[in-house]
């Protein structure tokens, strides 16, 4: 990436932390298969299990950790085999949740993206809701759900490593969202009886040789710098004020939002046009999730929140990382304001 580019798309992928890179380089010398019975394999297994414990400790998790290729696989593992009549989720979930839960009950959301956690008659056995929405940054109060016997599955791809995990029975995490490597994640499970065995590794719940370098990189990222989010509150508030002063609209303004993610509407200018012009100015932002093969179609999240096609098509997402500062926010605002002014002419 060119030195003068401004990267504000950390919700898609954030750059790897130096600690994670160093851990992966060191791990490349541990080439043995952790499932092999010989001394080399046992040594790799010992390192793997040490990492499992340290990851759980870093997250404040006191139960099982199943390593996966990322949050998408963890979601499929947790929800893909459950009967649809036992699950309730929301229409603002990540595509990876919606794909494996067709036909389930969708809990309603309000204009600010907050999920109504009132359960339907019959009380589903599993409530699957994102902890932090990947497009709006809205934080769902999962700890306040009246569970009455229901299990909670939390997609924590955007919150793990930034916020404390909610009190859930199953949690999905993805390393590349908090400074670890892509292609590595985990499903955290309180009771393994909730899962269906499906492979020869990971206690029989996943097939495939464990990615030891990736796992050690994820561990190092979780144990690395995690103190930057409170400072991002100031940056997000500064950006919110600047956008509104320039005639823009803050998405989910009145909801509790993580400081690292925000979405903004520029009336009269399509997100596609904004992305092109920002990119030409050396600024990387996005229009919603980056998990649709580069698609710029209007996202389902804003539609579920009651936005019409025109308004939803004018929204871009800005997301911060550990190195984002006031100068970055000011640079983005200058270009946003100029673009918005030109669009009103």
């Amino acid at each position: 990436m060119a030195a003068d580019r401004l990267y504000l798309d950390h919700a898609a992928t954030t750059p790897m932390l130096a600690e994670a890179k160093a851990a992966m380089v060191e791990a490349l010398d541990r080439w043995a298969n952790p499932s092999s019975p010989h001394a080399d394999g046992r040594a790799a297994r010992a390192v793997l299990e040490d990492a499992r414990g340290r990851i759980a400790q870093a997250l404040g998790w006191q139960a099982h950790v199943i390593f996966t290729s990322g949050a998408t696989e963890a979601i499929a593992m947790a929800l893909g085999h459950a009967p649809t009549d036992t699950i309730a989720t929301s229409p603002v979930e990540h595509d990876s949740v919606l794909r494996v839960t067709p036909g389930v009950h969708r809990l309603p959301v309000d204009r600010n993206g907050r999920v109504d956690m009132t359960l339907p008659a019959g009380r589903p056995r599993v409530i699957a809701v994102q902890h932090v929405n990947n497009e709006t940054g809205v934080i769902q109060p999962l700890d306040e759900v009246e569970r009455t016997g229901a299990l909670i599955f939390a997609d924590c791809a955007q919150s793990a490593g930034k916020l404390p995990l909610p009190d859930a029975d199953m949690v999905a995490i993805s390393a590349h969202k908090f400074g670890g490597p892509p292609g590595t994640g985990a499903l955290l499970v309180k009771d393994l009886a909730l899962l269906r065995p499906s492979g020869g590794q990971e206690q029989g719940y996943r097939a495939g040789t464990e990615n030891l370098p990736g796992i050690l990189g994820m561990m190092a990222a979780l144990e690395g710098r995690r103190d930057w989010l409170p400072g991002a509150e100031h940056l997000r508030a500064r950006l919110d004020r600047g956008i509104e002063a320039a005639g823009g609209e803050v998405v989910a303004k009145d909801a509790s939002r993580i400081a690292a993610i925000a979405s903004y509407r520029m009336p009269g200018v399509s997100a596609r046009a904004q992305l092109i012009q920002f990119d030409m100015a050396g600024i990387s932002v996005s229009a919603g999730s980056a998990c649709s093969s580069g698609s710029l179609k209007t996202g389902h999240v804003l539609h579920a929140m009651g936005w019409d096609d025109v308004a939803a098509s004018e929204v871009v997402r800005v997301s911060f990382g550990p190195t984002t500062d006031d100068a970055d926010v000011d640079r983005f605002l200058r270009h946003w304001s100029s673009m918005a002014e030109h669009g009103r002419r």
Side-chain angles (χ1 to χ4, degrees), residues 255-289:
S256 175
R257 294 177 289 148
I258 195 169
I261 301 174
S263 286
Y264 303 102
R265 179 192 174 200
M266 185 185 295
V269 184
S270 72
R272 181 183 296 271
Q274 291 179 59
L275 295 187
I276 292 171
Q277 293 181 63
F278 279 126
D279 196 37
M280 291 176 63
I283 301 175
S284 299
V285 293
S286 68
S289 174

Side-chain angles (χ1 to χ4, degrees), residues 132-149:
V132 169
N133 186 267
N134 56 294
E135 296 189 27
T136 64
V138 172
I139 303 170
Q140 303 296 344
L142 295 180
D143 290 339
E144 299 176 9
V145 177
E146 294 186 12
R147 303 168 63 147
T148 59

Side-chain angles (χ1 to χ4, degrees), residues 248-249 251 263-274 287 298 302 307-317 336:
E249 182 175 356
V251 177
S263 286
Y264 303 102
R265 179 192 174 200
M266 185 185 295
V269 184
S270 72
R272 181 183 296 271
Q274 291 179 59
T298 304
L302 293 176
W307 289 59
D308 61 39
D309 286 343
V310 173
S313 70
E314 298 170 341
V315 173
V316 299
R317 180 185 69 182
W336 199 96

Side-chain angles (χ1 to χ4, degrees), residues 68 70-82 96-97 99-101 153 172 187 195-196 198:
T68 67
T72 295
E73 183 187 355
I75 288 165
M77 186 182 295
L79 302 177
H81 304 299
S96 57
V97 170
R99 279 196 299 269
V100 297
T101 57
F153 169 80
L187 176 63
L195 302 180
R196 187 176 79 172
S198 59

Side-chain angles (χ1 to χ4, degrees), residues 108-116 255 304-306:
V109 298
D110 64 15
R111 177 77 180 184
N112 280 291
R114 293 173 294 208
V115 178
D116 181 349
M305 291 167 58

Side-chain angles (χ1 to χ4, degrees), residues 37 57 64 121 283:
Q57 183 176 21
H64 306 282
I283 301 175

